[in-house]
Amino acid sequence: MDLTYTDEEEAFRARLREWLAVSLPKLPPKPDPLDWPARRSYDTAWQRMLYDAGYAGLHWPEAAGGRGATPTQHLIYLEETEKAGAPYVGANFVGLLHAGPTIAAEGTPEQRARWLPPVLCGDEIWCQGFSEPDAGSDLASLRTKAVRDGDDYVVTGSKIWTSHAEVADWCELLVRTDPEAPKHRGITWLAMPMDAPGITVRPLRTLAGSAEFAEVFLDEVRVPAANRVGAENDGWRVTMVTLSFERGTAFVGEVVACRRTLTELAATAKRNGTWDDPAIRRQLGLLNAEFTALWRLTQWNVSESQRVGGVPGVGGSVFKLRYSHARQELYDTAARVLGPDSLDLDREWTLDRLSSLSYTIAAGTSQIQRNIVAERILGLPKGR
């Protein structure tokens, strides 16, 4: 992996900085972080600006509507947008970071033409319908069933922790199409329109007070068979593609954000006197090393996914496992630096600390990631 920048890449950085300097002041004020309908409008407006400027789907293949940028250009984009304080993907994250890339990798030409352009320009939002009340970490135990009826699947069941269901147009949905098959073999990946009859969305409020998750109840929802991505009963393999994107590259922008937070945290410690505590300085230094290493691992993962055709490998589990815990350690340290102020729910870092508690569960628990690393990378035998 070459970590130096060419003249062409530095020119790309300069153009991006210039565009950000002109474009960011045109954004309206940020909405209330707990108001997801307003955040959808804000996030999709920013996505449209990126699309019109040619920065949407920067690293997506040109055949999928992207620019086919190099991994280094993609990383430069993430660095510069974060340094400039540009909005993150927000409500667009499922579509942009794993549903869209999955369709780009596994969908038919017709499916790519139908779903990818609206994702890239911000016209349509996706949610993720994977987990169920009795199928979280053991996702392959899902029981939401889909029965073929002519040109449709008739879907009945429920999902939980459905990200952004309350503002989504489409759902990447896992269903069981063969109840007699071994549990990993009878699953199918569907794109379900969220306005179909029979769908009930019930938002779930998080510890931080937000409602970006929901329960979704499905009562004989008809989903066209043409919306199936991959073959019937081959959904587990397609799901592994989705999870590879979710764990391998979807968090890369957040690493940049954490490094910025760490810099701000050190400056705060120097202002309020906690920098004089050697234990605080030691922890900040350790976190700096952690996030520097995670950024290097990010660069390697992005480069490796490009080398093998765009789908990240199991190395994403190494990153996700360590990042989840490092993020929690970052905000635990922030609480020590802020002292009593860390209890103020109006402070962004307080909400981030509460949110960080979910990262060892979201996108696959740390226990699951350790199993993947042990079995698929280290070659250890499966546990009994």
Side-chain angles (χ1 to χ4, degrees):
M1 180 177 63
D2 186 358
L3 300 180
T4 61
Y5 297 109
T6 65
D7 290 343
E8 181 182 358
E9 288 162 349
E10 291 294 0
F12 170 79
R13 187 193 300 274
R15 291 193 300 271
L16 176 58
R17 283 181 177 174
E18 182 179 355
W19 181 81
L20 289 168
V22 171
S23 300
L24 288 175
K26 298 177 182 178
L27 283 171
K30 289 185 178 181
D32 185 325
L34 306 184
D35 184 348
W36 276 103
R39 287 185 65 175
R40 172 187 164 132
S41 297
Y42 182 86
D43 294 339
T44 54
W46 172 244
Q47 185 63 28
R48 185 74 206 199
M49 291 172 67
L50 291 172
Y51 181 81
D52 290 342
Y55 289 116
L58 187 70
H59 61 295
W60 285 24
E62 292 183 12
R67 285 183 54 178
T70 66
T72 303
Q73 287 175 323
H74 179 206
L75 294 168
I76 289 171
Y77 168 84
L78 292 171
E79 287 179 324
E80 294 302 323
T81 52
E82 185 58 44
K83 287 178 182 176
Y88 192 49
V89 290
N92 295 297
F93 94 88
V94 174
L96 283 169
L97 302 184
H98 40 93
T102 299
I103 292 168
E106 297 290 334
T108 65
E110 294 77 15
Q111 289 171 339
R112 291 195 293 270
R114 165 60 188 88
W115 286 313
L116 297 184
V119 167
L120 287 174
C121 71
D123 283 350
E124 291 180 348
I125 297 296
W126 284 66
C127 63
Q128 185 179 50
F130 281 18
S131 296
E132 297 180 5
D134 295 316
S137 297
D138 186 13
L139 181 58
S141 294
L142 66 92
R143 294 187 292 182
T144 294
K145 66 178 182 179
V147 178
R148 185 67 180 262
D149 181 24
D151 292 333
D152 295 333
Y153 288 101
V154 180
V155 181
T156 302
S158 67
K159 296 291 178 177
I160 199 167
W161 312 124
T162 309
S163 305
H164 300 314
E166 74 282 7
V167 295
D169 304 292
W170 291 90
C171 177
E172 53 174 5
L173 184 72
L174 294 187
V175 295
R176 187 160 299 285
T177 41
D178 185 353
E180 304 301 323
K183 65 180 186 179
H184 291 85
R185 302 283 180 86
I187 294 172
T188 297
W189 200 106
L190 298 177
M192 179 179 71
M194 289 299 290
D195 60 356
I199 299 177
T200 300
V201 176
R202 185 179 299 164
L204 295 168
R205 195 158 297 280
T206 70
L207 181 66
S210 182
E212 67 264 32
F213 300 118
E215 295 177 285
V216 176
F217 300 93
L218 308 168
D219 183 10
E220 296 188 349
V221 179
R222 301 190 76 89
V223 179
N227 289 15
R228 185 187 68 230
V229 176
E232 185 172 292
N233 298 325
D234 191 34
W236 188 252
R237 184 191 61 79
V238 179
T239 300
M240 291 302 100
V241 173
T242 305
L243 294 179
S244 294
F245 285 113
E246 186 175 17
R247 296 165 184 166
T249 54
F251 288 116
V252 293
E254 296 190 32
V255 175
V256 182
C258 285
R259 295 178 77 189
R260 184 181 68 177
T261 297
L262 182 58
T263 299
E264 295 171 355
L265 186 58
T268 300
K270 292 174 182 178
R271 285 196 303 269
N272 70 10
T274 53
W275 183 262
D276 296 334
D277 183 342
I280 292 287
R281 292 200 307 274
R282 187 181 305 113
Q283 183 62 19
L284 290 171
L286 176 61
L287 286 168
N288 183 59
E290 287 271 13
F291 282 102
T292 298
L294 281 167
W295 182 242
R296 293 297 182 234
L297 182 57
T298 293
Q299 292 175 307
W300 187 88
N301 282 338
V302 170
S303 299
E304 179 67 6
S305 70
Q306 185 77 10
R307 185 185 68 80
V308 299
V311 178
V314 293
S317 288
V318 177
F319 167 82
K320 198 274 175 183
L321 176 61
R322 187 56 213 148
Y323 170 71
S324 298
H325 292 271
R327 184 183 176 93
Q328 291 179 354
E329 291 162 10
L330 170 64
Y331 288 106
D332 283 347
T333 304
R336 294 173 62 190
V337 170
L338 294 174
D341 288 343
S342 66
L343 300 176
D344 183 357
L345 290 177
D346 291 329
R347 293 189 70 104
E348 183 180 0
W349 284 354
T350 302
L351 294 177
D352 286 340
R353 186 187 184 203
L354 294 175
S355 174
S356 75
L357 299 176
S358 70
Y359 275 68
T360 47
I361 300 172
T365 66
S366 291
Q367 291 85 350
I368 292 293
Q369 304 312 313
R370 290 188 181 98
N371 285 345
I372 292 172
V373 171
E375 296 170 9
R376 303 185 194 176
I377 297 178
L378 301 179
L380 299 178
K382 291 182 180 292
R384 296 186 181 275

